[in-house]
Amino acid sequence: MSKENWDIQFIKPCRFLEEEHRLLTPEYTLQSIARGRIVQINLDNCSIQRMEDLTEESTIEDVEAVGLLPLFDILQKGMVSLTCIGVNEMPDWRVRNAHTAYERFCRKFWPGHKDDKDATFRVYNPECKERKVKFGELSDEARCVYGGAYVSMLQIQNIHHSYPDTTPENRFEIYLHSMIGLLGIVSGFELEIAKWAFWELNKNEINRLVSSVKQRRKDIRENFAKVKNEISKCREYAFDRAMDLHWLSGANLSEDLGHDIDINGTRLKLDNWVGTNDHKLYRISRDIHSTYHDDSTMKRLAITRERELESNLYWRNVDRTSKDILTYRYHTGYANIDEILAKIDKAVSHVEGELIRKFDEVPA
């Protein structure tokens, strides 16, 4: 496998409107410090798993072999903070080894680093034998953070199974109205993913796509739109995809909330990045990302629309539908997110119930 598709990549989930895709370099981390912000690299599950392949005897060559040399270089030459938040994707039985691998990597290849005294650690049961994370058994806080994306990914599965004979445009419209009904809020990021998930093409049409559109379609469909045929597989897939959405959009949350960190007695705001060895996510982030606006701490969605998409009937229809509905909701003041956790739990129960009934109807 080429290094281009192997080495860890760094995603900046939010950038300024006119800012090009930025590469994380040691120089950038020092510039960020000068602006009163510290780059925080949030490692996802993929990158932490690479650390599990290293041992106390591992060398720099071994770090390079598992695709983590770019991270090593930044730790040596820049100034950053690092988190292993990707353990939140893991079932309990894997967390201990993952934490151990992360701490071993930091101790061996980032000498002199200091642990954040305010850092929190995931609570887990080392005796738990469940092989997969179950959304319904997560804490209230975790269900609230990941729940919107989890419902979205479940509903995409549900619509594929429940409306196989309707048009892609109708499936998207069903998705949009159903998410409003289920949660009362709509995530722009998840809405964009849904547009790609419901876009159907034959082989000849795919071959005629420009390379950028073809690659984005492939990446999004592989990461977010594979149709599963068992409820356990739907749940597992929806949770994994919800975590991917969290890396691409939810990682902005700590910036939105104004979190900071103590560095040698100085409080610095966070400049959030994601470290991942999932190159599909990295490519998607170049074309769909958040952007700052109007000096607000909250973010807006920025997307790439090639002329080929702007002239395509499906894309004209779904873009118009979403714009009309969301504009109407904005002007009529639909922004009530009270009791969001209760809505999430109710939505999960409803959508999972529909999927279970649909699978029960399928002859064995």
Side-chain angles (χ1 to χ4, degrees), residues 7 15 40 72 91 102 145 147 180 184 187 203 232 236 239 243 297:
D7 283 349
R15 57 185 190 257
Q40 178 165 285
F72 172 81
Y102 170 78
V145 171
I180 292 171
S187 160
K203 289 184 178 180
S232 61
E236 176 187 337
F239 180 74
M243 292 304 303
T297 58

Side-chain angles (χ1 to χ4, degrees), residues 320-337:
R320 183 178 63 249
T321 295
S322 58
K323 181 180 179 181
D324 289 348
I325 292 174
L326 297 183
T327 299
Y328 172 79
R329 284 173 56 80
Y330 176 79
H331 288 300
T332 51
Y334 285 99
N336 185 355
I337 56 173

Side-chain angles (χ1 to χ4, degrees), residues 233-245:
K233 296 295 184 182
C234 286
R235 287 169 172 154
E236 176 187 337
Y237 187 75
F239 180 74
D240 288 345
R241 304 293 72 84
M243 292 304 303
D244 284 348
L245 286 169

Side-chain angles (χ1 to χ4, degrees), residues 115-177:
D115 290 335
D116 178 10
K117 65 180 186 304
D118 297 323
T120 58
F121 297 89
R122 173 182 160 179
V123 177
Y124 66 96
N125 176 11
E127 304 303 321
C128 181
K129 303 302 181 184
E130 288 288 348
R131 306 301 292 178
K132 298 294 181 181
V133 175
K134 292 185 177 180
F135 179 83
E137 296 177 0
L138 296 176
S139 67
D140 288 357
E141 181 182 14
R143 296 201 317 283
C144 193
V145 171
Y146 309 131
Y150 181 71
V151 172
S152 172
M153 295 297 100
L154 273 181
Q155 184 63 347
I156 287 175
Q157 294 284 320
N158 184 31
I159 290 171
H160 275 301
H161 285 290
S162 298
Y163 302 95
D165 299 322
T166 192
T167 66
E169 289 92 336
N170 283 343
R171 290 183 193 175
F172 172 75
E173 191 166 355
I174 291 168
Y175 167 86
L176 177 53
H177 284 291

